[in-house]
Amino acid sequence: MSRFDNRPADQASNPVVGEYWDEVAPQTIPWHSHRRGQVIHVVKGCATVRAESGIYVLPPHRAIWLPPETPHQVRYPSQIAFRGIYIDRDYCHDLPARPTVLQVGGLTQALIDSVSRLPWDYAPWGPEARLCRVLLDQLVVLRVAPLSLPGAEDPRLVKVVEALREAPANSDPVGTWAATAHMSERTFARRFLAETGMSFTEWRQQLRLLTVIERLAAGDPITTIAMDLGYATPSSLTTMFKKALGVPPSKFFAKDPEGED
């Protein structure tokens, strides 16, 4: 795995620094890590972050927190704009110990955007440093967003998880996947729940939900997405989506839909 330990942001003298990008072409950033903790906030488009603990989808108004030394891969399925914040490990103690998707409202968006544009040599006790401390306080209290898909460690389950990630429309019964994992159906269900914290059915629905978000961000029409994922009608997909996230797909990318941090 490649590392970015010598990346300038990891070597900055101030404990909190940022970067911003307004036009990033579709691409995949290979597996790497940072010595600092990292916040990635998507302003436009959608990003998918893959870590050892699972897959995390970042539409606008969401951010992901990655603790220091977290190996991860980032995919941009379409052109995006985003902001990155890098936090020295000594300032990360109050933040989650695992990768976490956070719900970001107007105040936090403004703080992230402002800090991402600061020169890295700001005075340690000046207004820029105070702004960074406010951002750190705000990150700690953000709500967790339900936009992650936990992974598995058992090699037999990893095989199933990877196959479904490649074919989210698959609707084979649990018994078929238990046979693939060389387990009884009962053992498979118990092991899957123990490792992912979700039943097999819940996990597969979450996979489809995140797939819908990615494809909406790429500009695919809801009718096409519904057909590709095996839904009988677009309205059945819309019902699932609204039940999970509180808004229909047509409103999910609206600006600050919750109107709060």
Side-chain angles (χ1 to χ4, degrees):
M1 182 192 68
S2 63
R3 300 179 63 87
F4 283 176
D5 283 354
N6 292 321
R7 187 181 178 93
D10 286 321
Q11 303 295 329
S13 58
N14 274 311
V16 180
V17 296
E19 298 178 332
Y20 64 95
W21 301 267
D22 286 329
E23 293 186 10
V24 180
Q27 60 184 285
T28 297
I29 308 299
W31 286 89
H32 63 280
S33 65
H34 300 273
R35 292 200 302 184
R36 293 187 173 210
Q38 184 182 20
V39 175
I40 302 173
H41 168 48
V42 173
V43 178
K44 180 182 70 176
C46 182
T48 300
V49 177
R50 184 171 180 176
E52 294 173 345
S53 55
I55 294 177
Y56 307 84
V57 174
L58 306 178
H61 320 300
R62 304 296 187 271
I64 188 169
W65 160 247
L66 297 169
E69 300 288 355
T70 299
H72 61 284
Q73 178 192 69
V74 186
R75 185 169 74 89
Y76 311 130
S78 59
Q79 186 177 80
I80 73 166
F82 68 99
R83 310 291 181 251
I85 305 295
Y86 301 88
I87 303 171
D88 185 274
R89 65 172 62 250
D90 290 340
Y91 292 74
C92 296
H93 301 302
D94 293 330
L95 289 162
R98 294 168 58 86
T100 305
V101 178
L102 302 171
Q103 186 167 297
V104 179
L107 172 61
T108 309
Q109 290 179 51
L111 286 168
I112 291 174
D113 186 67
S114 296
V115 171
S116 74
R117 299 173 186 273
L118 293 178
W120 290 0
D121 58 351
Y122 59 81
W125 303 110
E128 295 90 349
R130 291 194 292 273
L131 184 67
C132 291
R133 290 195 291 273
V134 172
L135 173 59
L136 291 177
D137 288 341
Q138 190 66 18
L139 290 174
V140 172
V141 300
L142 293 181
R143 291 193 297 167
V144 175
L147 296 179
S148 63
L149 188 70
E153 295 184 1
D154 186 318
R156 297 170 296 177
L157 296 183
V158 170
K159 181 179 179 181
V160 172
V161 164
E162 293 296 333
L164 283 168
R165 284 171 178 167
E166 295 298 319
N170 180 283
S171 58
D172 289 346
V174 63
T176 299
W177 288 105
T180 299
H182 303 291
M183 298 180 186
S184 70
E185 187 171 331
R186 184 174 181 179
T187 299
F188 177 84
R190 186 174 65 249
R191 289 290 299 166
F192 201 95
L193 178 61
E195 293 219 3
T196 67
M198 307 173 80
S199 71
F200 178 77
T201 299
E202 291 170 338
W203 190 95
R204 182 156 57 181
Q205 179 164 302
Q206 183 75 350
L207 170 65
R208 291 175 178 171
L209 177 66
L210 299 188
T211 301
V212 172
I213 294 172
E214 285 187 297
R215 294 193 55 179
L216 287 172
D220 293 346
I222 191 68
T223 300
T224 301
I225 299 171
M227 291 179 60
D228 289 348
L229 291 181
Y231 286 90
T233 63
S235 62
S236 59
L237 186 155
T238 297
T239 299
M240 178 278 293
F241 193 98
K242 187 173 182 178
K243 182 178 179 180
L245 296 177
V247 293
S250 60
K251 295 186 179 300
F252 185 73
F253 288 92
K255 184 175 181 181
D256 201 7
E258 289 85 4
E260 60 184 17
D261 280 290

